[in-house]
């Protein structure tokens, strides 16, 4: 199946590579000609403008936009929509605000176009591991694109099957779901990222306590010089707190236990704030998630070892670099 991709950054480029390696074809465009040229070398068809990009797509067209949320995505989606024909599909695979998806879907529906929002998790590891996808949009459009989604998804892999799921939609077991109508995909991904903030903060604070277990504020008999890297490693194996985030933490600590390469200035990319807004609108208490977001704000004033660990995790799963 053919897919068009606009935005060839950390995730967009690797999504194309995973598709090419599994028998699909792709047309690609990016503001950086070098990014386009690199994928052309790997078998994609390059475009030098959005007009050229749309012209090279086969009917019915499918264009995936993988750009930062906000104006870059808004302008690109609406520009492509103006070049397309009824029954074409535009996918937003970035981290857009779900209410923007609802608005865009209505605008495109009036033109006879399909809009599909795909919350995409997998970061820089998705090329090899696959991408977990939470999809919103009309069923007919989502079903049409299933060959793309099934290729990008991780598949069953080595994860044990959950008892009691016989007869249910098998796509969830393979790493992707049709979450609901337009906006539902990014809504689920938004909450996913809000939870991610809380999980990361819990690890960071716990390791911060371990790191300072030798504090001179403690009675001498209660001081422990702990090997933080070894603790992260042993928890990966059989512990109830094992996770991919802990795997990334162990990797970071193995190379730099003091995390001297990190300042501890922890950014937030918007989803944590949107999650709390949703909690307020639904009158749902979210103590942990709100505390995790506020901790990131505080890190920009006075960073701790915990904040350095958060930065290390963000770099590990998403390639996020600290602000300079």
């Amino acid at each position: 199946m053919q897919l068009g991709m606009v935005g060839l950054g950390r995730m967009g480029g690797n999504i194309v590579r995973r598709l090419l390696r599994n028998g699909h074809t792709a047309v690609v465009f990016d503001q950086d000609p070098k990014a386009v040229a690199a994928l052309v070398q790997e078998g994609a068809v390059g475009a030098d403008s959005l007009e050229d990009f749309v012209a090279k797509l086969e009917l019915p067209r499918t264009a995936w936009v993988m750009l930062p949320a906000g104006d870059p995505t808004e302008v690109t989606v609406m520009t492509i929509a103006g070049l397309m024909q009824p029954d074409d599909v535009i996918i937003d695979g970035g981290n857009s605000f779900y209410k923007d998806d609802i608005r865009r879907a209505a605008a495109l529906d009036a033109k006879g176009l399909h809009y599909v929002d795909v919350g995409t998790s997998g970061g820089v590891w998705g090329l090899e591991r696959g991408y977990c996808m939470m999809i919103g949009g009309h069923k007919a459009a989502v079903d049409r694109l299933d060959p793309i989604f099934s290729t990008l998804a991780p598949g069953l892999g080595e994860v044990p099957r959950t008892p009691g799921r016989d007869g249910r939609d098998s796509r969830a077991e393979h790493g992707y779901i049709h979450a609901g109508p337009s906006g539902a995909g990014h809504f689920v991904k938004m909450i996913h990222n809000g939870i991610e903030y809380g999980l990361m903060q819990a690890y960071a604070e716990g390791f911060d306590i371990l790191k300072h277990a030798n504090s001179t504020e403690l009675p001498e008999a209660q001081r422990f010089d702990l090997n933080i890297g070894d603790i992260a490693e042993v928890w990966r194996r059989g512990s109830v707190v094992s996770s991919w985030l802990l795997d990334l933490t162990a990797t970071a600590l193995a190379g730099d236990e003091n995390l001297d390469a990190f300042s501890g200035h922890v950014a937030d990319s918007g989803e944590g704030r949107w999650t709390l807004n949703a909690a307020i609108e639904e009158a749902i208490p979210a103590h942990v998630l709100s505390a995790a977001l506020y901790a990131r704000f505080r890190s920009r004033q006075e960073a701790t070892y915990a904040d350095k660990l958060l930065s290390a995790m963000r770099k590990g799963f998403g390639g996020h670099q600290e602000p300079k």
Side-chain angles (χ1 to χ4, degrees):
M1 187 172 184
Q2 186 196 62
L3 177 78
M5 177 66 73
V6 177
L8 305 176
R10 289 190 298 262
M11 291 182 68
N14 280 344
I15 285 173
V16 172
R17 291 183 177 94
R18 187 171 174 90
L19 292 173
L20 292 174
R21 293 178 186 182
N22 288 277
H24 297 276
T25 61
V27 178
V28 297
F29 174 71
D30 192 277
Q31 293 291 342
D32 181 3
K34 293 180 180 178
V36 174
L39 280 165
V40 168
Q41 289 292 318
E42 298 180 47
V45 174
D48 57 18
S49 68
L50 287 178
E51 290 78 8
D52 185 38
F53 169 78
V54 172
K56 288 178 175 175
L57 293 174
E58 302 166 358
L59 293 172
R61 304 177 182 93
T62 301
W64 185 311
V65 177
M66 202 67 171
L67 296 171
D71 287 344
T73 293
E74 181 76 21
V75 171
T76 303
V77 166
M78 300 315 293
T79 299
I80 293 174
L83 300 168
M84 283 189 155
Q85 299 177 15
D87 206 33
D88 290 347
V89 179
I90 298 177
I91 301 170
D92 176 7
N95 281 326
S96 289
F97 185 42
Y98 74 98
K99 292 182 181 179
D100 289 337
D101 292 315
I102 296 170
R103 171 179 53 77
R104 288 188 201 124
L108 268 60
D109 188 60
K111 298 175 180 287
L113 303 174
H114 304 289
Y115 180 89
V116 175
D117 52 289
V118 180
T120 312
S121 182
V124 297
W125 299 87
L127 175 60
E128 303 301 332
R129 292 170 57 109
Y131 298 90
C132 173
M133 291 168 290
M134 298 135 270
I135 305 163
H138 292 308
K139 182 178 185 300
V142 174
D143 288 350
R144 182 202 299 178
L145 298 171
D146 193 73
I148 295 292
F149 298 138
S150 62
T151 297
L152 293 176
L156 286 172
E158 298 179 359
V159 179
R161 301 189 72 178
T162 301
R165 284 197 56 88
D166 293 343
R168 302 186 67 175
D169 190 341
S170 64
R171 291 177 294 184
E173 288 187 307
H174 287 79
Y176 66 111
I177 59 169
H178 182 197
S182 299
H186 277 147
F187 183 84
V188 175
K189 177 57 161 53
M190 176 183 77
I191 305 305
H192 164 284
N193 284 22
I195 292 171
E196 177 186 291
Y197 280 34
L199 292 173
M200 292 171 68
Q201 189 65 31
Y203 282 125
E205 292 178 7
F207 279 104
D208 205 4
I209 296 169
L210 294 169
K211 178 69 173 176
H212 294 91
N214 61 353
S215 170
T216 56
E217 299 295 319
L218 296 169
E220 189 170 353
Q222 297 176 22
R223 299 175 195 169
F224 305 113
D225 288 312
L226 301 172
N227 188 309
I228 307 303
D230 282 357
I231 293 171
E233 186 63 29
V234 75
W235 282 355
R236 293 181 60 214
R237 305 178 185 280
S239 164
V240 296
V241 298
S242 60
S243 71
W244 185 30
L245 287 172
L246 185 59
D247 294 344
L248 296 170
T249 299
T251 298
L253 292 172
D256 177 14
E257 187 164 309
N258 290 322
L259 302 175
D260 292 329
F262 298 93
S263 70
H265 180 124
V266 187
D268 70 285
S269 52
E271 298 92 337
R273 303 184 191 209
W274 299 339
T275 296
L276 294 188
N277 288 339
I280 291 168
E281 291 174 355
E282 298 172 18
I284 298 296
H287 306 294
V288 172
L289 307 190
S290 60
L293 177 62
Y294 295 147
R296 294 192 177 200
F297 296 163
R298 193 257 320 128
S299 76
R300 300 162 205 175
Q301 299 169 349
E302 183 179 1
T304 65
Y305 183 80
D307 299 324
K308 292 183 178 183
L309 202 65
L310 288 174
S311 287
M313 280 188 270
R314 293 185 82 244
K315 183 178 180 181
F317 67 74
H320 301 290
Q321 302 293 330
E322 291 182 331
K324 295 181 179 179

